[in-house]
Amino acid sequence: MGVTTAELLDALWRDYTASTPQAGRIHQLLVDRGEIVHNDHVALRTFAVPEICCDVLAAPFEALGWRGRQHYRFDEKHLRARYWQHDDPNLPKIFISELVLSDLSSASQAIVTRLVSQLPPDFGSRPDLPWAGRPWQVSHDEYKTLLAESEYAAWVAAFGFRVNHFTIDVGALTTFPDLQALVAFLLEHRFVLNDRGGVIKGSPADKLEQASTIADAVEVEFSDATVRIPSCYYEFALRYTLPTGETFQGFVPASADKIFESTDVKLQESVAGPSVNVAK
Ligand code: NI
């Protein structure tokens, strides 16, 4: 017997807030204001290998009625992505991206291949795959090698299978007229937002505006060291109505490209001290 949609989303939320305390705090602040928080989408990351690719990670969601929609490419970050939507409009979209390994150096490819080779048999068919955690041993040196080339690769190596971010549906909030008002509220409460490409990404013309926090830093146990690294962030999305009268449900690649960087260690360092070089 499988899990229900409510059980699945609850398991994802609990796992996510355990490593992203700021999300729990922001959620509570909104609830205290009288808001009922709806999620626009939930995002997951993986490697584009047959055992654990996007489609494999989507299976537990498809089993509960989510259906694959549009595909996207992020060439500069070597990513492909797709989103899945449920017939129940109250359920969040699922956005899954995967790292294309053939674009990476042979050193990074060898590290990822070594990680994937540690997967237990049938790992990809686990019903709890989206929150299964890290199924491999990885050293801090390997993490750093990946980080130098792909922040995304390093994140997946360090965290494995878990939600990268939940995203609040800003249009469903009743006490904030727009994303700017929510951003002001978050800054007032001293949350730090990702300002790459501006705090608010996208525009009414794009039919989607997004903002996000910078990922919380958490201690991660590598095989040779325990190190504080960026974990997960919280995102905020405001969708606009299309000329057809429907709400735009897709994603804007140029905005998502900058949102991906919310887990970038360089952003955290830029917050920690003014002397750090934040050049890409
Ligand atoms: Ni997102």
Side-chain angles (χ1 to χ4, degrees):
M1 224 175 54
V3 297
T4 65
T5 54
E7 287 166 345
L8 171 71
L9 293 170
D10 189 50
L12 293 176
W13 175 255
R14 276 187 283 114
D15 183 60
Y16 164 73
T17 48
S19 64
T20 320
Q22 61 175 340
R25 291 201 306 275
I26 291 169
H27 189 274
Q28 190 58 49
L29 279 171
L30 294 173
V31 169
D32 292 346
R33 261 173 88 97
E35 292 285 4
I36 297 169
V37 178
H38 290 274
N39 291 308
D40 177 83
H41 66 272
V42 177
L44 299 114
R45 296 176 167 188
T46 190
F47 296 127
V49 296
E51 296 90 332
I52 49 172
C53 66
C54 259
D55 289 343
V56 170
L57 197 44
F61 298 99
E62 289 180 339
L64 290 166
W66 272 272
R67 282 186 259 193
R69 300 288 302 270
Q70 200 173 334
H71 293 267
Y72 302 92
R73 285 195 68 97
F74 303 90
D75 289 331
E76 194 192 319
K77 293 194 168 56
H78 318 299
L79 300 176
R80 290 190 293 246
R82 189 179 191 192
Y83 78 93
W84 280 257
Q85 196 174 11
H86 202 281
D87 286 344
D88 180 348
N90 292 313
L91 294 175
K93 292 172 281 295
I94 308 297
F95 183 91
I96 308 179
S97 52
E98 61 181 11
L99 181 69
V100 180
L101 301 178
S102 55
D103 291 353
L104 300 184
S105 69
S106 55
S108 288
Q109 285 190 46
I111 291 170
V112 173
T113 301
R114 202 186 68 74
L115 301 182
V116 172
S117 73
Q118 297 176 56
L119 290 173
D122 300 325
F123 177 77
S125 54
R126 287 175 64 148
D128 64 347
L129 181 62
W131 70 100
R134 193 180 79 196
W136 46 61
Q137 287 288 319
V138 58
S139 71
H140 189 228
D141 274 345
E142 290 172 317
Y143 173 82
K144 284 187 292 187
T145 299
L146 293 175
L147 188 61
E149 195 173 346
S150 165
E151 183 278 318
Y152 184 105
W155 190 92
V156 177
F159 292 102
F161 297 87
R162 69 177 346 155
V163 165
N164 176 264
H165 59 273
F166 271 76
T167 304
I168 292 179
D169 175 358
V170 177
L173 297 175
T174 56
T175 64
F176 297 94
D178 52 25
L179 183 54
Q180 191 63 54
L182 178 61
V183 161
F185 174 80
L186 295 170
L187 293 174
E188 224 171 83
H189 286 84
R190 298 177 183 278
F191 290 97
V192 182
L193 302 181
N194 170 357
D195 61 3
R196 290 262 175 93
V199 169
I200 294 181
K201 284 90 172 146
S203 67
D206 292 321
K207 301 299 177 195
L208 174 63
E209 291 180 321
Q210 292 163 279
S212 68
T213 64
I214 288 175
D216 272 326
V218 297
E219 281 199 349
V220 170
E221 270 185 53
F222 293 97
S223 55
D224 52 351
T226 300
V227 182
R228 283 180 76 81
I229 61 167
S231 61
C232 308
Y233 56 90
Y234 212 5
E235 189 183 314
F236 317 97
L238 179 60
R239 294 182 178 278
Y240 288 84
T241 306
L242 295 164
T244 59
E246 293 167 308
T247 303
F248 174 65
Q249 295 294 345
F251 292 83
V252 178
S255 302
D257 200 61
K258 295 294 175 215
I259 293 272
F260 275 124
E261 296 174 13
S262 304
T263 53
D264 192 338
V265 69
K266 293 191 203 81
L267 261 180
Q268 288 208 323
E269 286 167 352
S270 72
V271 173
S275 62
V276 175
N277 174 14
V278 295
K280 268 182 88 174

